[in-house]
Amino acid sequence: QKLGRHANGPGGAVRTERCFLALPWKSGFSRVAARGFVCVPKEGPMAAAGEGLRGSKKLVDLFYDVVSPYSWLAFEILCRYRSVWNIELHLRPAFLGGIMKEAGNQPPAMVPKRGTYMTKDIPRLAKYYQVPVRLPKDFFHSIIEKGSLPAMRFVSAVDMAQPQFLESVSRELWMRIWHRDEDIVQPENILAAAEQAGVPSEQAKKLLEMSTTPEVKNRLKTTTGEALKYGAFGLPSYVAHVNGEPQLFFGSDRLELLANILGEKWLGPVPASAKL
């Protein structure tokens, strides 16, 4: 995984100069897909043009949890489109378990027929969106029993103290649980994910300590609460702020509608401009 320099955008959004994922290409994912992970360039003529339009950019809040494979799909697609659409993408780590509880919802896999459907749907989505999602061998234990609370508290700590690593840490946690079928809740595994994402070892340890503090716990609760106030009942949920009015969308399959609301064009899961 190669990471470039990062800079904070308005509202805490993270802009990445260059970021692509080293994937096992024999698994059927192209190098073009990796370039699809590229986000807004920080320097050069394209960046200069983007700076000129900054005042008119529309804010999109993406609420996500790494325990959700559909959140990963939305995350990567929106990262690709951040260099195509005239938007400021604000990554908002939230806790899916809290949203499901407050909304009276339940994981789709807990509905027998939906669970069976997921086993076929996830591979199809992975191929179409070119995101390397794989179902873990023991889904119930890895996803339902373990959950993601320690991981999302760590991601929240990263967002608060080292936001330049927010995107890469989130992606690496998804890679662990949804591609390599590895744990994301034990401290040593969270540290391993952070270091793989480029966080220096000492900083990662400080962030892990920070993740257990009331400040970080409250931050995650607050962000989750904001998602609920917008009307979220699951993740991913993303909110487009258009003409002073928030528009809520749920699921990785509503991005074409998001484009319509934003007045942008949907160019498929890997837009040509994101391949450059």
Side-chain angles (χ1 to χ4, degrees), residues 3-276:
L3 299 170
R5 290 173 289 176
H6 298 68
N8 293 338
V14 178
R15 294 189 298 131
T16 307
E17 176 187 350
R18 190 175 187 86
C19 177
F20 65 88
L21 197 62
L23 299 178
W25 308 115
K26 293 182 180 179
S27 65
F29 294 93
S30 69
R31 293 184 184 275
V32 168
R35 296 193 189 104
F37 287 52
V38 174
C39 297
V40 178
K42 186 182 173 188
E43 298 173 350
M46 289 182 66
E51 290 294 331
L53 294 171
R54 179 169 302 283
S56 61
K57 287 190 175 183
K58 296 180 176 70
L59 174 65
V60 176
D61 285 309
L62 171 61
F63 296 92
Y64 68 93
D65 186 325
V66 297
V67 81
S68 162
Y70 302 102
S71 287
W72 191 9
L73 299 175
F75 175 95
E76 297 299 355
I77 300 303
L78 286 172
C79 273
R80 294 168 189 169
Y81 272 93
R82 191 164 53 183
S83 63
V84 179
W85 293 343
N86 189 34
I87 62 172
E88 286 288 351
L89 179 61
H90 191 184
L91 303 178
R92 309 294 304 278
F95 181 47
L96 180 57
I99 289 177
M100 301 291 271
K101 180 179 179 181
E102 290 299 320
N105 201 352
Q106 61 178 323
M110 298 305 291
V111 180
K113 287 190 177 295
R114 288 187 69 182
T116 301
Y117 177 78
M118 277 185 69
T119 64
K120 299 177 180 179
D121 193 43
I122 291 294
R124 290 189 299 227
L125 291 170
K127 182 177 180 180
Y128 175 70
Y129 287 112
Q130 297 196 40
V131 177
V133 187
R134 293 175 179 171
L135 287 166
K137 292 180 180 179
D138 189 343
F139 180 92
F140 188 82
H141 177 66
S142 298
I143 307 302
I144 306 300
E145 289 184 344
K146 285 187 175 182
S148 62
L149 186 55
M152 292 314 296
R153 284 175 175 167
F154 183 82
V155 174
S156 295
V158 171
D159 190 23
M160 293 172 69
Q162 299 287 335
Q164 69 271 28
F165 294 113
L166 177 59
E167 186 175 318
S168 60
V169 167
S170 299
R171 181 175 289 121
E172 179 57 26
L173 287 167
W174 268 307
M175 284 293 293
R176 286 187 69 88
I177 188 173
W178 285 107
H179 182 69
R180 300 193 296 268
D181 194 9
E182 296 173 348
D183 174 80
I184 62 166
V185 298
Q186 294 302 317
E188 63 273 18
N189 295 325
I190 292 174
L191 286 176
E195 292 179 24
Q196 181 65 30
V199 183
S201 179
E202 289 305 312
Q203 287 188 25
K205 291 176 182 177
K206 290 179 181 178
L207 288 167
L208 186 62
E209 292 178 5
M210 181 181 171
S211 69
T212 62
T213 64
E215 290 77 12
V216 170
K217 292 178 181 179
N218 288 335
R219 171 65 169 267
L220 183 58
K221 288 180 182 178
T222 298
T223 304
T224 302
E226 287 183 35
L228 287 164
K229 287 179 181 178
Y230 282 124
F233 52 88
L235 296 178
S237 289
Y238 33 102
V239 179
H241 300 267
V242 181
N243 298 324
E245 181 180 352
Q247 302 268 0
L248 174 71
F249 297 86
F250 167 71
S252 58
D253 57 352
R254 294 295 185 269
L255 293 161
E256 189 171 352
L257 292 177
L258 173 64
N260 180 260
I261 288 293
L262 293 171
E264 301 283 357
K265 291 183 179 180
W266 170 250
L267 304 172
V270 185
S273 297
K275 299 176 187 177
L276 301 176

